[in-house]
Structure formats: structure tokens, C-alpha cells
Amino acid sequence: MASSSSDTLMFLMLLGAPIVFMVWTYAWVSKADIVEGQIVGVEEKTDKRGRKRYRPQVVYEINGERLEFTSRLKTDTPEFGVGERVKVIVSRDREYVATVIDLAERYILPIMIVVVLLVCQVLSLIYQHQEMIFSLIHPQLV
């Protein structure tokens, strides 16, 4: 029985991390200013494995000040074209740290982790209680 409770505790800890990240991101975005920016370039670098990685360079204006930044998000293919208009999140409590808004990029990994963990947990429960489940579906299968 102790193994089952430790498995459940481990599952909850694994499930908690992506959920906490999503809640933190939502709270951060909710408190930030959202302004329109424009892609002015795409930085191309080669990583240690020899793969080309791309990061958009964005210019935006806030409080009458024109600022530029290069996104921390690196992709295998250029996701944005020069001249493309994008939304930018500008943190109020940091000195204009900004990032290009792409909710799928921000939320897809934590959502995928949550879904995979839930599927694994359901499959584990089915496996652990298969006799009871089969007896409910069809008593003669047990």
C-alpha cells in the first residue's frame, strides 16, 4: 500500500510542476502591458550540434520609448518574417523585459506534460484494478 501512496505522491508532484508554470505564466501575462511590435530581423545561429536556430528581433514602443529585443525563443525554422506585426508582452515589474506572444509556444509543453501524465495515471489505475474493471464490464471475464 505504501508503494501506491508514494506513486500517487510522485504523480501529483510531476503534475504540479507544469500546472504551477501555467498559472505563473497566466498571472505574469495578466499583469503585463501588451503592445504591438514588428519583426525587424531574424537572428540565425548554429548550435553545438550544427543545427541552425532562429530568433526574431522585435522593435516595439511603450510609453513613447522605442525599444528592441531579440526573443529568447529559438526555433529550427524562422517562425516570423521581417515586417510581420506581433504582440509583445512587457513586464511592469522588470525593466521592460519582453517576449513575443505565442500562447501555443508558452502553453503547449506544459499542457502536453499534463495530458501524458494523466493518460499514464489512468492506464496505471486500469492495470492495477483490471480484475475489478473486467468484473464490472462482464463478470464472466474474471
Side-chain angles (χ1 to χ4, degrees):
M1 192 56 121
S3 175
S4 177
S5 64
S6 66
D7 289 346
T8 302
L9 181 61
M10 180 63 82
F11 169 74
L12 291 175
M13 287 175 19
L14 290 172
L15 187 62
I19 290 174
V20 166
F21 174 78
M22 288 187 297
V23 169
W24 176 85
T25 300
Y26 179 82
W28 183 81
V29 171
S30 296
K31 294 176 186 174
D33 291 318
I34 299 176
V35 298
E36 190 165 301
Q38 186 173 13
I39 304 296
V40 292
V42 177
E43 180 183 275
E44 179 183 314
K45 285 192 175 180
T46 304
D47 67 11
K48 294 176 185 175
R49 296 182 185 166
R51 297 179 303 175
K52 287 188 179 181
R53 308 291 286 173
Y54 302 91
R55 298 183 332 161
Q57 297 167 325
V58 182
V59 67
Y60 64 98
E61 190 174 311
I62 189 163
N63 299 332
E65 187 178 0
R66 185 176 165 96
L67 301 165
E68 186 174 331
F69 75 101
T70 301
S71 175
R72 289 185 285 168
L73 177 68
K74 297 176 187 172
T75 58
D76 293 332
T77 59
E79 298 287 322
F80 302 99
V82 174
E84 187 175 340
R85 309 236 16 113
V86 294
K87 291 188 179 180
V88 177
I89 303 171
V90 183
S91 174
R92 292 180 186 168
D93 56 351
R94 299 180 192 168
E95 278 191 304
Y96 295 121
V97 174
T99 184
V100 176
I101 291 178
D102 188 346
L103 293 180
E105 300 270 340
R106 288 201 157 276
Y107 290 106
I108 194 70
L109 185 61
I111 289 171
M112 286 174 40
I113 291 171
V114 168
V115 168
V116 167
L117 288 172
L118 288 174
V119 167
C120 289
Q121 186 66 20
V122 167
L123 291 175
S124 172
L125 289 172
I126 290 171
Y127 180 75
Q128 289 174 3
H129 303 287
Q130 62 187 331
E131 286 186 21
M132 181 185 70
I133 293 169
F134 285 138
S135 70
L136 292 173
I137 295 172
H138 199 288
Q140 294 175 344
L141 292 177
V142 179

